[in-house]
């Protein structure tokens, strides 16, 4: 008998069917990776096990934990199971903890609610926090969540989920919101806990590389069904189902692009650029100490070239991109775009030659504007921009170029999927026929198959239009696949620079080495699972 | 924390100075000379000048402002033009009606509204919730002075439980005073309680949709336990601000309600001051009301910081 | 998009009173300025649907004309508040963190510190009681409300990527505020406008009740209540009818505001898509 046995689980919420006949097994001391794209039903599978579903949800089938059916269990009984026999951690550590209670109290609450006395609960909370790497010497129980980083908060969440040494731990995208080096440490911690305490673990992720790193077994989910399941080594190296094959292919996808820039004419030069933010306002007159976001950065970019800019969140890469486009003032140093110094008097016609695509396809458009108006907004920069029918014609042309239909010009952004919206964003970026496009995490929010399509589109447009890209990203494999050269940024400074193959193949700086070691890759599993 | 208190104190003093200047200027532009009003048409110029000096009406505008403001700080509010007694004395008498009335109404509204709001939020979408939404919607729409008139007919005339107006003073004991203030306090509290219940409801609903409530349920807390331990306390933080703001609404509402019930409070005083052109009284009472609102806002800010550790440390 | 029930009920109530106010410009059953003591305190029926008051005036006509005063005062006061407050709020949001923002917001806090009715009383004391001065007094207190709502809404829009895209297209703060920010906070402003409208009606009634609002012969619900107070026990009809008119108008506006909020709330709407 397995620890967790899910059989023919059906879930309906309102009028829509979410899960259709899901069956899974989790064994003690092993990690089952549940992988799928957004909307595949993987998170709701986890919440069905916990029976933490919205009020209008209807569940059928069976979920047996140690032989006990949870689908028919009473709410009273479930409250005894949750936290004691099943622990769960969630994606967003920043909001998963109560901001007005100390971490010690929140970990101890798991113990208190299941019958421990106050003193005993606090003692064991301290012990569990120490186990997840939050030493009580440095992180006393009296800390509040806002005093901890994202990774530390996720450790608190793990501590409160495993406080009672549950039989089963459910982890729902626990590292998705974290930086790659933090992710690596949390994965190691979870893996160690499962082995050491003999828990079963249901680990949910959209990222095949993460799954291959931590999971023993894997189940692939699509549209509320399990498509394929088996040991990680088998499924990921020899997938049997076309969907699994497509996912794996897209995850490792490298777009076909011509190698190296043909021309070497420089179009962007950044010279010891600095950008500081004033400290937070304190009362009517005071200010805190300024924060340095970009701190003496220099590099250049040639026509038709792709420069990858890699770094973890908060390293200053997005600030740098905005400064290059003149959206933020430069505090020191010099930025030359198309041979002219960037500044308040930079001519609009030249600025039209540099455009930007953002990360979030849902936030990138004014929801009240139609596509043609959105796409033609950069024409504001061009003194003799086409108007009327000529402008519409240009809009239809770029829409066709990015793989949409000319009729889409009359629709609103909410009528499109995430991938289609990112195509609209690209259309907006190329409508003024620019020579440089800044891609600020432009594929990071997309599902893996859509991401592969957009990367192909970007490579094709580069060939057709002779575009130079400044490609900003945190996913090393994606940056590697599309860049000619790479710069690695940390805390506002560039720590390493060079041709993409050299930097990724033979990193020199310790930080680059750490990043590469931390980044999960398909086929990682064997390394990590060695005893 | 000390920095925070210091910065709030500074803004408190600045607000007070700005408010006092604004009030002083408004009073300055009011047409009509209190001296000729007090002495009538046939007064001799010498007598008028003497009275002018006595009332502190001589000198330039800056001088007069400084004289008034420094007097305020010392507790000397000047002398009433009509009653010819120190304003501070008048105000002190009236405070014994207005402050208990405001606190009575605030207590009524808070003690009724919070449980009702919590009930509605935890029964969201069910009949109890709809009943609360409907009742509060009507409660907000009723003008408090009209509600006061209805209360008088119902509970002072048809069923004579409470007096229809007037105030016996506190000398006769606590009960007669409270009895006289009960109907006014209910009339004052009704709209405020309705608003507060709605705010409590939506704050709690908002809090219950937070991720940490799901974390709490995953620990094994029942729905009720999650609402009590993590929902209500966090939802109370925004509600606190509204309670603070209501203090100012209640003070303002009291001006009218005191007129309905013939209560000798600050509201009646300011109203009489205006009709009798006793501007020094108006000036002082308005300043006092504004001072109390600013002080309550300050207290709410501090309470906010105590309740929310994020503010405590950052500040 | 489904129209919420409360929006329908609220809009219907509001429409009835707005219509009564409009009709009263050209026609009322009787002349409201005509005093006929011989006809005083007539019971409902006969020539008078709701009877007559202590001066023999037709109560229905007074109610219709009173609706005109209430709605006009509250509407213009909302116009003053939104017309000045919204640009101020947009300006403050566009200059977030700068001194300008700080000054606008502190100024707002200062007005909030004055109990609104007390200051309305003060203003009418300075300028003399009249409907116009009631408008000014109520309008001034709408300014910080709209400024605060506009600033809050604008601050939630400014960090969005589409604003960054507009800036990348070379647009300045004023143009972005007009083209992107204002249309996206219009929902919030409309809902706030209905709330301030209903509060304005309550405030006008209160001011007229204590004699600082509309002056005779301008008809007003608040003054009808004040005049009826003496006759309340003898003839409750005179106090009940204007009170009900106020309650129903305010209720209608509030229901409409709530309904609009539900219908326009982007969070609720996203679920429906």
């Amino acid at each position: 008998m397995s620890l967790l046995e899910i059989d023919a689980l059906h879930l309906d919420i309102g009028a829509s069917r979410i899960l259709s006949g899901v069956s899974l097994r989790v064994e003690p001391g092993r990690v089952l990776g549940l992988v799928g794209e957004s909307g595949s039903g993987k998170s709701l599978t986890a919440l069905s096990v916990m029976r933490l579903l919205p009020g209008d949800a209807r569940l059928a089938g069976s979920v047996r934990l140690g032989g006990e059916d949870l689908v028919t269990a009473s709410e009273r009984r479930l409250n005894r199971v949750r936290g004691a026999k099943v622990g769960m951690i969630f994606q967003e550590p920043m909001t998963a903890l109560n901001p007005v209670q100390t971490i010690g109290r929140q970990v101890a609450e798991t113990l208190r609610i299941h019958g421990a006395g106050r003193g005993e609960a606090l003692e064991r909370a301290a012990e569990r926090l120490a186990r997840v790497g939050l030493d009580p010497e440095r992180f006393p129980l009296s800390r509040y969540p806002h005093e901890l980083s994202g990774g530390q908060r996720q450790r608190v969440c793990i501590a409160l989920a495993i406080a009672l040494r549950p039989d089963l731990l459910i982890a729902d995208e626990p590292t998705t919101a974290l930086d790659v080096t933090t992710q690596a440490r949390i994965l190691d911690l979870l893996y160690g806990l499962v082995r050491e305490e003999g828990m079963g673990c249901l680990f949910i992720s959209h990222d095949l590389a993460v799954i291959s790193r931590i999971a023993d077994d894997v189940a692939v989910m699509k549209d509320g069904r399990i498509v394929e399941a088996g040991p990680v080594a088998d499924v990921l190296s020899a997938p049997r189902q076309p969907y699994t094959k497509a996912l794996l292919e897209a995850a490792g996808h490298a777009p076909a692009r011509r190698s190296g820039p043909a021309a070497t004419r420089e179009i962007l030069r950044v010279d010891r650029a600095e950008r500081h933010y004033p400290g937070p306002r304190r009362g009517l007159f005071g200010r805190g100490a300024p924060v340095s976001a970009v701190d003496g950065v220099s590099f250049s970019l040639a026509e038709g070239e792709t420069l990858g800019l890699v770094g973890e969140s908060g390293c200053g890469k997005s600030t740098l991109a905005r400064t290059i486009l003149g959206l933020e003032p430069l505090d020191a140093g010099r930025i030359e775009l198309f041979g002219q110094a960037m500044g308040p008097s930079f001519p609009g016609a030249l600025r039209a030659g540099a455009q930007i695509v953002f990360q979030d396809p849902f936030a990138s458009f004014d929801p009240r504007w139609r596509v043609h108006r959105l796409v033609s907004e950069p024409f504001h920069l061009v003194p003799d921009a086409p108007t009327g029918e000529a402008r519409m014609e240009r809009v239809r042309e770029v829409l066709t170029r990015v793989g949409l239909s000319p009729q889409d010009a009359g629709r609103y952004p909410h009528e499109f999927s995430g991938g289609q919206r990112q195509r609209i964003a690209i259309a907006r970026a190329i409508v003024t026929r620019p020579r440089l496009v800044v891609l600020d995490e432009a594929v990071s929010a997309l599902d893996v198959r859509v991401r592969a399509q957009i990367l192909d589109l970007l490579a094709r447009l580069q060939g057709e239009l002779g575009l130079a890209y400044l490609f900003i990203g945190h996913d090393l494999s994606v940056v590697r696949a599309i860049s000619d050269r790479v710069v690695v940024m940390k805390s506002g400074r560039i720590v390493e620079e060079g041709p993409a193959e050299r930097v990724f193949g033979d990193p020199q700086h310790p930080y680059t080495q750490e990043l590469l070691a931390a980044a999960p890759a398909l086929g990682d599993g064997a390394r990590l699972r060695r005893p | 924390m000390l920095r925070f208190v210091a910065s709030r104190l500074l803004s408190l003093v600045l607000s007070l100075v700005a408010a006092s200047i604004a009030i002083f200027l408004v009073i300055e532009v009011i047409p009509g000379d209190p001296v000729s009003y007090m002495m009538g048409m046939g007064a001799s110029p010498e007598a008028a000048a003497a009275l002018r000096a006595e009332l502190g009406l001589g000198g330039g505008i800056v001088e007069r402002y400084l004289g008034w403001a420094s007097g305020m700080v010392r507790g000397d509010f000047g002398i009433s033009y009509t009653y010819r007694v120190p304003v501070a004395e008048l105000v002190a008498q009236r405070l014994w009606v207005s402050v208990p009335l405001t606190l009575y109404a605030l207590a009524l509204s808070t003690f009724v509204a919070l449980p009702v709001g919590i009930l509605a939020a935890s029964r969201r979408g069910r009949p109890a919730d709809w009943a609360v939404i409907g009742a509060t919607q009507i409660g907000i729409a009723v003008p408090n002075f009209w509600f006061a008139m209805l209360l008088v007919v119902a509970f002072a005339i048809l069923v004579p439980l409470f007096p229809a107006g007037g105030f016996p003073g506190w000398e006769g004991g606590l009960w007669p005073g409270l009895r006289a203030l009960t109907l006014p306090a209910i009339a004052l509290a009704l709209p405020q309680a309705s608003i507060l219940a709605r705010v409590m409801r939506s704050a709690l609903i908002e809090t219950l949709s937070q991720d940490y409530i799901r974390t709490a349920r995953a620990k094994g807390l029942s729905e009720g336990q999650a609402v009590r331990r993590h929902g209500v306390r966090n939802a109370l933080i925004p509600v606190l601000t509204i309670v603070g703001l209501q203090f100012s609404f209640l003070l303002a509402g009291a001006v009218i309600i005191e007129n309905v019930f013939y209560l000798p409070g600050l509201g009646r005083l300011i109203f009489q001051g205006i009709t009798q052109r006793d501007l020094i009284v108006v000036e002082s009472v308005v300043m006092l009301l504004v001072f109390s609102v600013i002080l309550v806002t300050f207290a709410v800010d501090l309470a906010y910081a105590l309740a929310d550790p994020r503010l405590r440390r950052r500040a | 998009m489904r129209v919420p029930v409360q929006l329908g009920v609220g809009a219907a109530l509001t429409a009835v009173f707005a219509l009564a106010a409009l009709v009263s410009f050209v026609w009322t059953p009787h002349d409201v300025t005509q005093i006929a003591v011989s006809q005083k305190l007539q019971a409902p029926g006969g020539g008078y649907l709701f009877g007559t008051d202590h001066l023999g005036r037709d109560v229905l006509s007074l109610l219709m004309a009173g609706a005109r005063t209430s709605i006009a005062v509250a509407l213009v006061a909302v116009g003053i508040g939104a017309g000045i407050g919204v640009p101020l709020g947009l300006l403050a949001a566009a200059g977030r963190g700068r001194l300008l923002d700080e000054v606008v917001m502190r100024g707002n806090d200062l007005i909030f510190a004055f109990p609104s009715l007390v200051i309305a009383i003060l203003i009418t004391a300075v300028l003399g009681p009249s409907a116009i001065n009631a408008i000014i007094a109520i309008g001034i207190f709408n300014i910080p409300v709209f400024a605060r709502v506009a600033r809050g809404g604008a601050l939630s829009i400014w960090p969005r990527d589409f604003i960054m895209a507009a800036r990348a297209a070379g647009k300045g703060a004023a143009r972005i505020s007009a083209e992107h920010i204002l249309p996206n906070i219009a929902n919030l402003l409309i809902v706030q406008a209905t709330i301030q409208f209903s509060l304005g009606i309550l405030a006008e009634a209160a001011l007229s009740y204590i004699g600082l609002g509309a002056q005779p012969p301008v008809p007003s619900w608040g003054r009808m209540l004040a005049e009826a107070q003496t006759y309340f026990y003898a003839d409750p009809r005179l106090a009940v009818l204007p009170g009900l008119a106020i309650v129903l108008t305010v209720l209608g506006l509030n229901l409409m505001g709530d309904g609009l909020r539900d219908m326009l709330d982007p969070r609720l709407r996203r679920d429906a898509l």
Side-chain angles (χ1 to χ4, degrees):
Chain A
M1 188 183 70
S2 306
L3 169 63
L4 176 71
E5 300 180 335
I6 302 180
D7 281 302
L9 189 67
H10 290 261
L11 171 66
D12 296 82
I13 295 179
S16 47
R17 166 137 298 190
I18 308 294
L19 302 176
S20 335
V22 168
S23 300
L24 290 172
R25 295 283 180 279
V26 179
E27 309 293 337
R30 284 174 77 86
V31 179
L32 170 68
L34 183 58
V35 72
E37 294 179 295
S38 48
S40 61
K42 51 193 194 302
S43 290
L44 282 163
T45 305
L47 291 173
S48 300
V49 174
M50 295 297 276
R51 290 267 310 273
L52 287 175
L53 294 163
D56 54 347
R58 292 179 312 283
L59 205 55
S62 84
V63 175
R64 292 183 173 279
L65 181 72
E68 180 183 8
D69 192 354
L70 298 182
V71 171
T72 53
S74 71
E75 185 61 28
R76 266 180 86 87
R77 177 62 200 153
L78 286 167
N79 285 333
R80 307 239 57 80
V81 171
R82 293 179 196 134
K85 290 184 179 297
V86 193
M88 184 159 181
I89 50 181
F90 301 95
Q91 172 170 350
E92 223 2 289
M94 304 312 272
T95 54
L97 293 170
N98 188 337
V100 305
Q101 287 186 7
T102 63
I103 58 172
R105 181 169 165 186
Q106 294 190 61
V107 175
E109 188 175 38
T110 309
L111 300 150
R112 299 267 290 146
I113 207 80
H114 293 282
R118 196 181 136 75
E120 185 200 351
L122 283 172
E123 204 172 296
R124 285 194 30 213
E127 175 219 317
R128 295 314 269 174
L129 280 167
R131 173 63 191 87
V132 300
L134 296 176
D135 180 16
E137 295 288 305
R138 284 183 53 219
F139 301 97
L141 298 180
S142 57
R143 287 286 176 98
Y144 285 96
H146 70 279
E147 299 169 293
L148 305 178
S149 71
Q152 289 161 350
R153 290 190 209 191
Q154 195 61 294
R155 286 173 193 268
V156 176
C157 292
I158 294 172
L160 63 83
I162 61 157
L164 282 166
R165 298 175 187 269
D167 304 325
L168 176 68
L169 177 65
I170 301 178
D172 186 1
E173 303 261 14
T175 59
T176 306
L178 304 175
D179 273 326
V180 53
T181 49
T182 315
Q183 162 170 290
R185 287 184 217 118
I186 296 287
L187 290 178
D188 287 347
L189 169 66
L190 284 174
Y191 196 79
L193 278 170
V194 168
R195 280 290 182 274
E196 199 179 295
E197 313 210 338
M199 285 185 288
C201 177
L202 177 61
F203 189 101
I204 294 164
S205 181
H206 68 286
D207 189 335
L208 280 165
V210 167
I211 294 283
S212 90
R213 186 162 201 156
I214 191 170
D216 302 293
D217 307 294
V218 63
V220 182
M221 205 163 179
K222 179 179 189 267
D223 301 334
R225 295 169 197 278
I226 301 293
V227 177
E228 185 167 2
V232 160
D234 300 351
V235 174
L236 295 192
S237 57
R240 285 191 304 274
Q241 297 297 320
Y243 179 72
T244 316
K245 283 182 192 157
L247 273 188
L248 277 165
E249 214 171 86
H253 183 76
R257 46 195 301 277
R258 48 154 190 70
S259 56
T264 49
R265 211 166 46 166
E266 193 176 87
I267 56 171
L268 171 68
R269 162 177 287 278
V270 177
D271 189 17
R272 283 164 297 182
E274 289 182 28
R275 172 76 184 126
H276 316 287
Y277 287 118
R281 243 180 199 294
R282 298 244 165 91
L284 202 51
F285 304 109
R287 280 223 184 257
V291 184
S292 206
V294 177
D295 192 7
V297 166
S298 305
F299 65 87
S300 67
L301 177 59
E303 198 158 51
E305 187 188 29
T306 302
L307 178 67
L309 180 54
V310 201
E312 296 185 292
S313 57
C315 75
K317 51 193 199 296
S318 290
T319 306
L320 180 60
R322 292 198 294 268
T323 314
I324 288 171
L325 294 176
L327 300 175
E328 297 219 11
L330 193 61
D331 291 318
R334 189 179 165 84
I335 290 174
E336 265 180 33
L337 190 59
F338 310 124
Q340 201 151 0
M342 176 52 73
S345 59
F346 194 84
L350 269 187
R351 220 165 90 179
Q355 290 295 320
I356 184 164
V357 177
F358 299 101
Q359 169 173 4
D360 184 353
F362 292 88
S364 286
F365 306 105
D366 189 329
R368 288 162 202 286
W369 283 22
R370 288 175 197 273
V371 168
H372 68 83
R373 197 170 166 209
L374 290 167
V375 168
S376 54
E377 192 171 27
F379 279 134
H380 186 72
L381 283 166
V382 185
D384 53 347
T387 53
E389 189 47 36
R391 175 178 289 216
M392 279 304 280
E393 193 46 50
R394 266 288 269 292
V395 169
R396 288 193 209 108
E397 181 216 312
V398 288
L399 285 177
T400 317
R401 208 178 258 289
V402 299
L404 296 170
S405 97
Q407 285 80 43
D408 290 335
R411 297 164 69 188
Y412 284 100
H414 69 75
E415 298 173 51
F416 296 89
S417 69
Q420 287 172 320
R421 290 190 209 200
Q422 216 54 341
R423 287 175 193 268
I424 300 173
I426 293 169
R428 174 170 66 188
I430 62 171
V431 76
T432 54
R433 301 195 174 130
R435 286 189 283 164
L436 168 65
V437 175
V438 176
L439 302 159
D440 189 358
E441 300 271 11
V443 297
S444 303
L446 303 175
D447 271 326
V448 53
R449 287 183 302 159
V450 177
R451 185 178 77 191
Q453 291 163 10
I454 297 291
L455 286 175
D456 282 340
L457 170 68
L458 289 172
R460 176 165 66 75
L461 289 174
Q462 185 168 43
E464 288 172 10
L465 306 171
L467 293 168
Y469 288 143
L470 177 58
F471 189 96
I472 297 169
H474 67 279
D475 187 325
L476 298 180
S477 64
V478 174
V479 175
R480 182 178 193 167
I482 197 164
S483 305
D484 300 309
R485 280 191 307 132
V486 190
V487 292
V488 182
M489 250 182 113
K490 187 190 183 211
S491 321
R493 297 167 182 273
I494 290 182
V495 297
E496 186 159 2
E497 176 180 4
E501 285 314 306
R502 209 274 295 141
V503 172
F504 288 117
D506 181 21
Q508 300 298 309
H509 192 278
Y511 178 67
T512 319
Q513 291 164 356
E514 192 193 340
L515 273 185
L516 279 166
L522 289 168
D524 261 358
R527 183 169 56 84
L528 196 94
R529 265 191 297 282
R530 219 171 290 141
Chain B
M1 190 67 195
L2 211 66
R3 252 194 97 99
F4 180 75
V5 175
S7 102
R8 298 312 306 175
L9 263 177
L10 179 71
S11 87
L12 173 124
V13 171
L14 286 176
S15 307
L16 282 178
V17 170
S20 65
I21 292 175
I23 293 168
F24 181 77
L25 289 179
V26 169
I27 297 291
E28 277 291 312
V29 302
I30 290 186
D33 177 16
V35 171
S36 52
Y37 185 87
M38 285 164 75
M39 303 188 77
M41 284 308 181
S44 73
E46 294 78 34
L51 182 60
R52 206 175 289 277
E54 188 196 326
L55 296 175
L57 289 174
I61 185 164
V62 178
E63 201 178 320
R64 267 177 289 144
Y65 169 71
L66 290 177
W68 172 65
S70 62
M72 280 286 214
V73 174
R74 291 193 311 270
D76 171 11
F77 292 18
I79 294 178
S80 158
Y81 304 158
T82 44
Y83 298 95
R84 298 288 186 110
V85 293
V87 177
E89 217 169 87
L90 278 177
V91 166
Q93 290 168 6
R94 304 301 181 97
L95 279 178
W96 281 102
V97 178
S98 288
V99 171
L101 175 60
T102 304
L103 291 180
Y104 195 173
L106 196 64
L108 275 180
S109 113
T110 310
F111 286 127
V112 173
L114 297 192
V116 164
I118 292 169
L119 176 84
S122 41
R123 302 257 189 289
R124 194 185 178 185
R126 284 186 254 170
D129 187 23
W130 285 111
V132 171
I133 291 176
T136 53
Q137 196 69 268
I138 291 171
I140 291 171
V142 173
N144 58 13
F145 58 91
W146 184 61
F147 185 56
M149 288 160 67
L150 297 182
L151 284 175
V152 168
V153 170
F155 298 109
I157 297 174
L158 294 179
V159 188
L161 289 174
F162 300 98
F167 186 70
W170 296 105
E171 299 80 24
L174 191 62
W175 176 235
L178 276 184
R179 227 166 75 102
L181 293 182
T182 297
L183 290 185
I186 292 174
L188 264 180
L190 174 79
Q192 303 307 323
S194 303
I195 293 171
L196 203 57
R198 291 172 79 87
V199 171
M200 183 71 228
R201 173 182 176 272
S202 54
L204 187 53
I205 286 175
E206 174 75 30
T207 308
L208 292 180
S209 72
Q210 298 289 319
D211 282 354
Y212 55 78
I213 298 293
R214 192 176 56 180
T215 306
R217 294 299 312 279
K219 285 182 196 174
L221 273 73
S222 70
E223 205 172 335
Q225 282 170 325
V227 169
R228 282 193 300 279
R229 294 186 180 206
H230 295 275
V232 173
R233 187 181 156 193
N234 293 38
L236 275 177
I237 296 175
V239 168
L240 201 61
T241 321
I242 304 295
V243 174
L245 272 179
Q246 292 207 331
F247 186 76
S248 122
F249 283 107
L250 287 170
L251 275 179
V255 173
I256 290 178
I257 292 298
E258 284 172 11
N259 272 296
V260 178
F261 288 95
Y262 305 104
L263 294 175
L266 285 180
R268 291 274 286 173
L269 186 62
I270 192 173
F271 195 63
Q272 288 161 351
I274 286 174
T275 46
Q276 295 166 351
R277 297 263 153 224
D278 197 347
L279 298 185
I280 184 94
V281 167
V282 176
E283 207 171 25
S284 308
V285 176
V286 171
M287 190 62 220
L288 198 71
L289 293 179
V290 171
F291 175 71
S292 64
V293 171
I294 291 176
L295 208 64
V296 167
T297 313
F298 173 74
V300 168
D301 275 358
L302 287 192
Y304 217 114
L306 281 177
D308 192 335
R310 286 165 295 186
L311 290 173
R312 209 183 307 163
R313 296 289 168 112
R314 181 148 43 96
Chain C
M1 213 183 294
R2 205 176 60 86
V3 176
V5 183
Q6 41 190 351
L7 179 57
V9 175
L13 273 175
T14 311
V16 167
F17 284 96
L19 198 68
L22 282 177
V23 169
S24 76
F25 277 104
V26 292
W27 175 80
T28 51
H30 297 267
D31 184 356
V32 291
T33 54
Q34 198 183 354
I35 293 171
V37 183
S38 61
Q39 299 289 312
K40 75 171 186 181
L41 296 176
Q42 297 270 323
Y48 307 97
L49 187 58
F50 291 150
T52 61
D53 73 353
H54 62 294
L55 296 174
R57 292 172 297 184
D58 175 42
V59 170
L60 177 62
S61 302
L62 283 172
L63 285 176
M64 286 173 69
R68 188 168 74 201
T69 312
S70 284
I71 290 174
V73 168
L75 200 62
V76 179
V78 165
I80 293 174
I84 300 174
V86 171
L88 273 181
L90 290 176
L91 201 67
R96 185 188 191 178
R98 302 209 199 108
L99 200 62
L100 175 77
D101 180 28
E102 199 74 19
V103 168
V104 170
M105 291 325 288
R106 290 291 82 79
N108 254 344
D109 289 350
L110 196 63
I111 301 190
F112 267 127
F114 287 82
S116 53
L117 226 102
V118 171
I119 298 310
I121 290 170
L122 203 60
I123 288 174
T124 48
V126 175
L127 303 174
S130 76
I132 302 289
N133 293 337
I135 289 175
I136 295 173
I138 300 166
I140 286 178
F141 281 93
N142 283 336
I143 294 173
V145 175
F146 280 99
R148 186 163 286 205
V149 171
R151 177 177 177 273
L155 284 183
S156 74
I157 308 281
W158 268 102
R160 306 265 272 278
D161 284 346
F162 68 82
I163 298 299
M164 197 53 92
R167 293 184 55 211
K171 291 180 175 170
R175 197 182 185 99
I176 288 174
S177 292
E179 285 186 359
H180 289 290
I181 307 279
L182 193 56
N184 276 291
I185 61 170
N187 294 347
L188 289 176
L189 295 177
I190 290 170
V191 170
Q192 196 62 45
T194 63
I195 295 171
Q196 294 312 116
F197 195 171
S198 70
L199 289 178
I201 286 180
L202 284 174
E204 190 277 332
L207 282 176
S208 297
Y209 170 76
I210 54 176
L212 295 176
Q215 297 299 301
V218 179
S220 148
W221 291 341
R223 222 187 43 257
M224 288 172 77
L225 282 174
E227 286 165 0
Q229 201 165 358
T230 1
Y231 301 90
F232 199 164
Y233 195 52
D235 197 349
R237 166 184 59 97
L238 288 180
V240 168
L241 285 175
L244 273 182
I246 295 171
V247 171
L248 290 177
T249 312
V250 172
L251 189 64
L253 284 164
N254 285 342
L255 286 174
M256 202 163 79
D258 270 17
L260 281 174
R261 191 198 318 252
D262 286 358
M263 198 171 79
L264 301 175
D265 189 330
R267 275 184 300 179
L268 299 172
R269 201 162 56 154
R270 201 172 302 144
D271 296 341
L273 284 174

